[in-house]
Amino acid sequence: DMKVTQMPRYLIKRMGENVLLECGQDMSHETMYWYRQDPGLGLQLIYISYDVDSNSEGDIPKGYRVSRKKREHFSLILDSAKTNQTSVYFCASSRHNNQAPLFGEGTRLSVL
Amino acid sequence: GDSVIQMQGQVTLSENDFLFINCTYSTTGYPTLFWYVQYSGEGPQLLLQVTTANNKGSSRGFEATYDKGTTSFHLQKTSVQEIDSAVYYCAMRDVDSNYQLIWGSGTKLIIKP
């Protein structure tokens, strides 16, 4: 079953804490993405990964970093989270970068 | 630069009404165009895509025609149902943007029972 899995689905953190959002896919897709979604702003690309250790900044990378050490896993890290990083984060993957991405269910992050 | 415009932030219809969601795009290239649908509490999912100009995409009763002349990719459905309530995103992918998806701002469809 083709699926992108995000963990955790819900997370509450305090300002200044570190946050790790994990994403996995079992389709051997080359390209993986991290987006955030805020009301009225739609989907904004944070980072894109073209394969293991081949990551590029998206439109809003500030305050985030990513790690992709295995093709099937793509992590989003917030070092010292800020309240304005409260959002819903979506991971997605596609076989190649010119194909439509398949999205996960999202992680709802609250930074208090 | 490249852009995708969805002017309608929200559309409210009754069951069996005709749906029309506006989407226009701007690019100098030859993009692939997409419609994604996002149900409440879920991630966006691909509804349909069209790669070639003047072609039509269709899925689950929804249709969209890639009109290069008017640079539009409007989404239509003849008769909406309550289960169609969702947010609909138009998106574009072009080699000029290194194939990164450029998203519209989304249109929330509310179907009154």
Side-chain angles (χ1 to χ4, degrees):
Chain A
D1 193 23
M2 294 166 50
K3 196 173 180 181
V4 175
T5 303
Q6 292 186 237
M7 294 291 289
R9 293 293 314 278
Y10 302 91
L11 187 60
I12 299 175
K13 287 286 194 178
R14 296 193 182 280
M15 191 171 59
E17 291 185 327
N18 298 332
V19 178
L20 173 65
L21 304 185
E22 308 220 62
C23 175
Q25 50 92 6
D26 60 359
M27 300 161 284
S28 200
H29 282 178
E30 282 185 355
T31 308
M32 296 187 74
Y33 315 75
W34 275 107
Y35 287 90
R36 65 177 281 177
Q37 185 176 50
D38 301 289
L41 294 179
L43 288 153
Q44 298 175 273
L45 181 66
I46 306 171
Y47 270 92
I48 182 171
S49 174
Y50 297 102
D51 212 327
V52 171
D53 284 331
S54 179
N55 308 318
S56 292
E57 295 180 345
D59 299 318
I60 53 162
K62 188 177 179 182
Y64 304 94
R65 61 184 175 92
V66 292
S67 175
R68 192 161 179 210
K69 298 301 182 185
K70 293 183 179 180
R71 179 172 276 193
E72 60 268 24
H73 289 128
F74 190 35
S75 300
L76 181 69
I77 302 119
L78 289 65
D79 295 313
S80 188
K82 300 172 181 52
T83 55
N84 62 8
Q85 292 178 306
T86 292
S87 187
V88 182
Y89 290 86
F90 287 101
C91 176
S93 73
S94 59
R95 182 166 298 280
H96 303 294
N97 69 334
N98 62 348
Q99 294 178 333
L102 176 70
F103 282 80
E105 298 276 279
T107 295
R108 187 174 295 273
L109 171 67
S110 295
V111 182
L112 307 177
Chain B
D2 294 353
S3 64
V4 174
I5 305 296
Q6 289 180 251
M7 294 298 293
Q8 303 151 290
Q10 182 169 302
V11 172
T12 302
L13 297 171
S14 299
E15 278 199 319
N16 301 313
D17 280 353
F18 174 75
L19 170 68
F20 183 90
I21 299 180
N22 212 300
C23 173
T24 57
Y25 66 90
S26 174
T27 181
T28 56
Y30 297 87
T32 295
L33 301 171
F34 306 85
W35 277 101
Y36 275 77
V37 57
Q38 185 177 23
Y39 301 103
S40 181
E42 300 181 10
Q45 54 183 273
L46 181 65
L47 181 58
L48 54 87
Q49 72 176 69
V50 179
T51 304
T52 307
N54 301 322
N55 277 9
K56 180 186 292 186
S58 61
S59 173
R60 306 184 228 171
F62 292 88
E63 286 187 348
T65 300
Y66 180 158
D67 188 332
K68 191 165 172 59
T70 59
T71 62
S72 66
F73 192 52
H74 310 314
L75 184 69
Q76 303 179 67
K77 188 176 185 182
T78 303
S79 176
V80 293
Q81 304 302 309
E82 197 171 350
I83 58 168
D84 295 325
S85 295
V87 180
Y88 292 82
Y89 288 96
C90 183
M92 171 178 74
R93 167 168 273 158
D94 196 351
V95 63
D96 290 346
S97 60
N98 198 25
Y99 296 110
Q100 290 188 19
L101 273 176
I102 297 170
W103 295 85
S105 53
T107 299
K108 184 175 184 178
L109 175 62
I110 297 172
I111 306 296
K112 296 181 292 186

